[in-house]
Amino acid sequence: ARMNSMVSGVAALVGVGLAISLPVAWLLIRAGHKLGALDSAGAAGHAKVLRRVPNIGGIAIFWAVALPMTAGLLALQLVSEETIGKVLPSAVEHLGRMRSSAGTAWAMLACMTVLHVMGLVDDRRSLGPGVKLLVQVGAAAAMAVWFKVRLLTMVDAHLGMGQMPSIVITIAWIVVITNAVNFLDNMDGLAGGVSAIAGSLFMAATIVNAQWFIAGTLALMVGGLIGFLVFNFPPAKIFMGDGGSLVVGFLLAILTARTTFYDAGNPNYALGTGWYGVFMPVVVLAVPLYDFVTVTTLRLRQGKSPMVGDQQHFSHRLVQRGLSKRGAVMVIWGATLVTGIGGISLGSLKPWQAALVGVQTLAVIGVIGLLEHASRRASAHRAESE
C-alpha cells in the first residue's frame, strides 16, 4: 500500500509539472511576440532559417521543475516529521534518505538555474561556444567533485588514481548529454519528445528502484515537457531554446548519474545484479547520442567547430532523404522508444539476454545508418543522371 501511495505521488508530480508548464508556455507565446523574444541567429556561422516563433519556452520547463522542487526542499527542511506523516504517511520512512540528499538537490537546482540563465542570454545574443562549454564543465565539475554525483565509481579501485577516473567520466557524461539534447533541439517537437520518452523510461526504473527523489524530479520534468509539447508539436508555436535544452540535458545527465542501475551484492535488487546495468542510460539515450556523434564527426571533418549549429543533424538528413519534418520527428521518437524499452531492464537480465539488448540497440542504430547511407547514394545517383 505504501509503495502504491509513493507511485501515486510520483504520478501526481507529472500532473504538477504539466499544470505549471502548460499555462506558462501559453503566456510565453504571447509575451515572446510582444517583447520580440523570437528565434535568433545564434553563433557566427550558425546555419538556420529564422522563424517568427518565440524561443523562450525553456522558461516553462524550468519552472515546472524548479518551483515544486524548491517548495519540496523547503518543506523537507522546515516541516516536522509528524506533520509530513499526517499529510504523506508513506513518505515518512524515506525522509532520512531524502534529507541526506537535500544538499545535492540544492546544488543541482543552483547549477540548473545557472545553465537556464546562460541559455536565455545566449538565445538573445550569442555567448559563443567556448563560454557555454566552460560553464557546462564548471557545473558538471561542481556536482561530481563536491556533491559526489559520480558514474562508474568501481573503476577508481582498479586504476589506483583515487577518485579522478570516475570524476572525469562523470563530467564527460554530463557535458555530452547536455549537448546531445541541445543539439537535438533542431526541429519542432524533437528534443521535447525524445527527452519526455527517455525521462519516462528512467522514471519507471527509479520507481521500481524506490529512488523516490529522482523519480519525483523526473516526473516534474516529464510533466513540464508534455505541457510544453502541446505548443511545440509541429508546427511549433514556441521553441524551448537553449534556456530549455541545456536544463533538460543537464537534468537527464545528473539524474541518471544518481540512479543506481545495479547492485551485485543484493540478489533482490529491483534493477538487477548484472554489472552491465550501468549501460542502461547509454542504451536509453542511444538515438540522441547517435545524432551527437554523427553531427560532431561531420562538422570536424569539414573543419568546423562541433559546437556551432547547422542543418546536418540526423533529423535534417532524414528530411533530405524524403521524409516530412513531422515524419522525421516521429521516426526519431519511435527509435528512441525501441532502444529505451530494451534498455530499461538491462541489469536484471541474464548476460546473454543483455547481450541481445546490446545487439538490438546496435541494430537499430545500424539500420538508421544504412538507410541514411543508401538514400544518400540514391540521391547522388539521381543528381548525376539529371
Side-chain angles (χ1 to χ4, degrees):
R2 285 184 175 181
M3 175 75 171
N4 289 339
S5 176
M6 292 300 287
V7 172
S8 300
V10 171
L13 288 175
V14 175
V16 170
L18 174 62
I20 293 170
S21 73
L22 190 68
V24 173
W26 183 83
L27 290 168
L28 287 168
I29 293 168
R30 279 133 193 86
H33 282 289
K34 281 187 180 177
L35 299 171
L38 305 174
D39 191 19
S40 53
H46 188 165
K48 66 185 289 192
V49 178
L50 294 180
R51 292 157 62 188
R52 287 192 57 77
V53 175
N55 63 349
I56 51 176
I59 295 170
I61 301 166
F62 173 79
W63 284 111
V65 178
L67 202 62
M69 196 172 154
T70 303
L73 287 169
L74 287 173
L76 210 55
Q77 284 183 276
L78 303 175
V79 180
S80 69
E81 189 172 315
E82 186 183 350
T83 306
I84 291 173
K86 287 177 183 175
V87 179
L88 285 170
S90 56
V92 173
E93 64 181 288
H94 304 286
L95 280 179
R97 194 170 161 189
M98 287 179 177
R99 282 176 172 152
S100 67
S101 302
T104 305
W106 281 117
M108 185 179 79
L109 194 55
C111 290
M112 193 174 95
T113 304
V114 169
L115 289 173
H116 176 58
V117 171
M118 179 183 74
L120 290 177
V121 172
D122 186 62
D123 287 331
R124 301 276 57 80
R125 60 175 193 275
S126 177
L127 295 171
V131 174
K132 288 163 69 176
L133 187 60
L134 193 65
V135 173
Q136 289 171 29
V137 171
M143 296 304 298
V145 175
W146 290 303
F147 295 94
K148 294 183 172 55
V149 174
R150 303 214 185 121
L151 284 164
L152 302 179
T153 50
M154 77 282 289
V155 301
D156 293 343
H158 300 293
L159 295 178
M161 297 166 62
Q163 298 172 338
M164 187 56 66
S166 63
I167 289 172
V168 171
I169 290 166
T170 305
I171 292 171
W173 171 257
I174 295 168
V175 172
V176 166
I177 296 303
T178 301
N179 282 292
V181 175
N182 183 231
F183 280 22
L184 208 60
D185 186 28
N186 59 67
M187 203 166 277
D188 298 357
L190 185 55
V194 168
S195 299
I197 290 165
S200 299
L201 292 166
F202 289 131
M203 181 177 70
T206 48
I207 286 172
V208 169
N209 209 20
Q211 288 188 273
W212 299 113
F213 174 79
I214 299 170
T217 309
L218 284 164
L220 292 171
M221 187 193 79
V222 169
L225 286 166
I226 293 169
F228 165 75
L229 278 166
V230 169
F231 302 106
N232 182 243
F233 189 79
K237 297 181 179 70
I238 191 166
F239 301 148
M240 69 166 70
D242 279 13
S245 61
L246 294 176
V247 168
V248 173
F250 182 76
L251 274 174
L252 281 172
I254 291 288
L255 294 170
T256 50
R258 288 282 293 168
T259 303
T260 306
F261 291 106
Y262 84 105
D263 185 351
N266 180 3
N268 298 316
Y269 194 65
L271 290 183
T273 58
W275 62 269
Y276 34 80
V278 297
F279 292 108
M280 185 202 288
V282 177
V283 174
V284 174
L285 295 168
V287 174
L289 286 168
Y290 169 79
D291 177 65
F292 177 81
V293 170
T294 54
V295 82
T296 299
T297 304
L298 280 169
R299 289 171 185 171
L300 289 172
R301 274 185 187 170
Q302 294 160 359
K304 299 176 181 177
S305 166
M307 299 291 287
V308 176
D310 55 29
Q311 302 290 298
Q312 299 188 91
H313 289 277
F314 176 33
S315 54
H316 297 128
R317 300 194 303 265
L318 287 176
V319 170
Q320 286 163 10
R321 307 296 171 250
L323 282 175
S324 68
K325 288 186 176 181
R326 184 177 287 191
V329 168
M330 299 305 284
V331 164
I332 297 171
W333 281 15
T336 303
L337 193 59
V338 170
T339 62
I341 289 172
I344 206 70
S345 59
L346 202 59
S348 61
L349 301 176
K350 293 174 181 175
W352 69 270
Q353 294 169 324
L356 280 180
V357 169
V359 170
Q360 173 186 286
T361 305
L362 291 173
V364 170
I365 298 301
V367 166
I368 287 167
L370 283 170
L371 281 170
E372 282 204 272
H373 181 67
S375 57
R376 192 181 299 122
R377 288 182 65 185
S379 297
H381 285 313
R382 277 198 301 273
E384 283 173 15
S385 63
E386 288 169 6

